[in-house]
Amino acid sequence: MHATSIVVLTGAGISAESGIATFRGPGGLWEGHRVEDVCMPEALARDPALVHRFYDLRRAALADVEPNAAHRALARLDAEWRGELLIVTQNVDDLHERAGATRLLHMHGELKSALCAACGGRREWAAALPPGTVCEACGAPALRPDIVFFGEMPYAMERIEAALSTCDLFVSIGTSGAVYPAAGFVQTARHWGAATLEINLEPSQGSFLFEESRMGPASVLVPEWVEAVLAA
């Protein structure tokens, strides 16, 4: 189809090919860590040192990875396609930005950002973030990783829902289809009449909801799809 407005959702699968471990599965980041210990508000309150150290390590590891062909292809789409585009990522890495994407939002937060638990302010942060770090805006010793924990509301949901309600193509890349609300985006897009495409290494929990699924490496399939969109 000839689209005029596209929403792209990306998940851990797109960054896995750059060497960023997914959270789930053998060798995943949560192997050896319970979700309850590193990605819930209660964990931060109970053991802030553990939670801060966990995300400090993830932030430092970004220096050892680079965007792959799938990130670069989406950045090309962003730069060259004249229609409406919103890239929504569940990932907290910075690989989309480093590839050059700008029409982008991080619904689950960012490793290179700090959030003040007192005033709600957010600021860029590249170094280690020990518990008790002072917020420059309000002076409270309350900076924490700017990560949306389980039980917290993802960022920019109103903007995402608005985009889903007006797009004519929704594309999901490298997602498990297991984490809501993102797992429900395909249903929202279909409700409003959009065509839907899944690009994944293997079928996700929500594959049956998509009109079309393409299975294989994102680094191969995403550049092919972008090439076709730009040639249409």
Side-chain angles (χ1 to χ4, degrees), residues 57-83:
L57 291 172
R58 307 284 75 76
R59 190 180 308 110
L62 293 178
D64 299 323
V65 297
E66 296 291 337
N68 61 54
H71 296 105
R72 293 192 295 271
L74 290 177
R76 180 191 173 198
L77 181 69
D78 188 350
E80 298 182 18
W81 196 61
R82 299 310 173 202

Side-chain angles (χ1 to χ4, degrees), residues 156-193:
M157 284 303 299
E158 288 187 3
R159 181 181 173 192
I160 294 169
E161 292 287 343
L164 290 169
S165 71
T166 56
C167 73
D168 44 36
L169 176 60
F170 170 72
V171 184
S172 176
I173 303 170
T175 68
S176 66
V179 179
Y180 283 84
F185 289 174
V186 58
Q187 293 165 293
T188 301
R190 289 189 64 173
H191 171 77
W192 292 106

Side-chain angles (χ1 to χ4, degrees), residues 67 71-72 74-76 78-79 95-103:
H71 296 105
R72 293 192 295 271
L74 290 177
R76 180 191 173 198
D78 188 350
L95 296 183
H96 281 301
E97 290 93 333
R98 284 159 59 187
T102 59
R103 289 186 275 182

Side-chain angles (χ1 to χ4, degrees), residues 197-202 212-216 221 224-225 228:
L197 167 65
E198 176 186 39
I199 297 174
N200 222 346
L201 190 60
E202 57 189 22
E212 181 184 357
S213 293
R214 302 179 188 177
M215 299 294 112
L221 296 182
E224 290 177 354
W225 170 71

